[in-house]
Amino acid sequence: MPYVDLHCHILPGLDDGARTLEAAVRYARLLDQEDVLDVATTSHIKRSNFPHIDISELAGRRAELQDAIHAEGLNVTLHPGGELAHEDALELADRELQLIAQGPSHAQWLLLECPFAGLHDDFDAAVERLTRLGYGLLLAHPERVRGPIDRLTPHTEAGALLQVNVSSLLGAHGPAPQEVATKLVMSGRAYCLASDTHPGTREEILPYGYDALRRLGVSEVQAFRLTQSNPRFLLREGNPRLALPETEERANSTR
Ligand SMILES: [Fe+2]
């Protein structure tokens, strides 16, 4: 079964990911060679750092890159997405969140970035708002948070899932994130690995994560789950326990 990467900054010219269409296609060639055939396009949705990203343009950008990938004969399929910062999660209209949601329409979920600076009340408030709107949550790279991550426990107990970066597991961000990443995968708390690749600067693809897991002594079955079957389940089935409720905010936003 091919790998599924749910976190990748492959859309060119938007954030700190791929700079050009050529760079994105070159990276897609590597993905094709390494059997990473489904990739979510998760540009940063963080207006404080990337104020020029227009969420309504993402689908068109994705289609443009997909055409270029197909034109090269590569078998990589791009999927919608966005790496949502908690500040923006508190402000965006639900119709904008819909444009970066992943999974099938009846069980959508969002990739919410765990802030490097630490987990505080505003992060909890973002989780609560997105959950209230009916989205499942995949929390990106908790191991890169500076400081304790105990505040995630109520969220994971309520159904949020944890995504660990391959780069963290490989030690690319230093010993502390590597240690936390290792604990999260060894304890079974991590739901999946993702590359969080920034083509041209950081390219730790999922097969490297699979190999790292095996070196840690993780079973073949569990390494397969973390890099292939679990992310594929989220992509195809979403979070079926979180059907979208008809909230006042949702009703207003879709009028
Ligand atoms: Fe990212």
Side-chain angles (χ1 to χ4, degrees), residues 4-254:
V4 175
D5 193 357
L6 295 178
H7 185 166
C8 183
H9 299 261
I10 192 172
L11 288 187
L14 288 176
D15 58 2
D16 53 353
R19 287 202 175 157
T20 62
L21 186 66
E22 292 70 29
V25 172
R26 179 196 57 73
Y27 181 64
R29 187 173 297 284
L30 173 66
L31 295 176
D32 180 89
Q33 283 165 4
E34 298 289 340
D35 215 23
V36 186
L37 301 186
D38 287 285
V39 178
T41 52
T42 55
S43 302
H44 283 289
I45 307 301
K46 186 172 192 174
R47 282 177 292 193
S48 58
N49 289 30
F50 305 100
H52 302 300
I53 291 185
D54 182 344
I55 296 174
S56 68
E57 288 182 2
L58 291 177
R61 301 274 196 148
R62 190 171 66 251
E64 193 181 339
L65 177 57
Q66 185 71 76
D67 287 347
I69 287 172
H70 283 157
E72 292 290 314
L74 303 174
N75 191 27
V76 173
T77 300
L78 302 178
H79 298 273
E83 182 178 10
L84 181 60
H86 66 283
E87 304 97 321
D88 299 69
L90 289 168
E91 290 176 3
L92 290 175
D94 189 31
R95 67 184 141 70
E96 295 175 293
L97 297 172
Q98 287 278 306
L99 298 174
I100 55 167
Q102 304 191 50
S105 58
H106 65 278
Q108 289 179 312
W109 54 273
L110 290 159
L111 181 70
L112 180 66
E113 181 179 34
C114 292
F116 298 146
L119 300 168
H120 302 290
D121 290 348
D122 46 359
F123 181 78
D124 293 338
V127 169
E128 280 158 25
R129 178 179 183 233
L130 298 175
T131 302
R132 201 169 58 242
L133 285 170
Y135 294 103
L137 292 175
L138 182 63
L139 305 180
H141 48 64
E143 75 282 359
R144 298 195 65 191
V145 170
R146 282 191 288 275
I149 58 170
D150 312 359
R151 280 181 89 126
L152 294 179
T153 302
H155 303 317
T156 53
E157 284 177 351
L161 302 171
L162 302 182
Q163 173 260 296
V164 165
N165 279 9
V166 175
S167 50
S168 303
L169 210 51
L170 294 172
H173 309 296
Q178 185 176 27
E179 189 183 328
V180 178
T182 303
K183 277 187 185 157
L184 289 172
V185 297
M186 298 305 283
S187 65
R189 286 189 72 200
Y191 180 78
C192 64
L193 296 191
S195 74
D196 193 7
T197 283
H198 292 61
T201 47
R202 226 174 63 206
E203 299 190 353
E204 286 92 354
I205 57 176
L206 274 171
Y208 303 167
Y210 181 92
D211 293 343
L213 291 169
R214 296 291 287 131
R215 284 196 299 275
L216 284 168
V218 172
S219 71
E220 219 172 301
V221 170
Q222 180 63 355
F224 168 82
R225 282 195 194 112
L226 286 164
T227 57
Q228 297 170 55
S229 60
N230 281 358
R232 185 172 300 284
F233 179 84
L234 267 190
L235 188 67
R236 283 188 180 164
E237 308 296 333
N239 189 340
R241 294 173 57 203
L242 287 171
L244 296 177
E246 188 59 32
T247 63
E248 196 177 340
E249 185 173 356
R250 178 175 296 277
N252 289 336
S253 73
T254 52

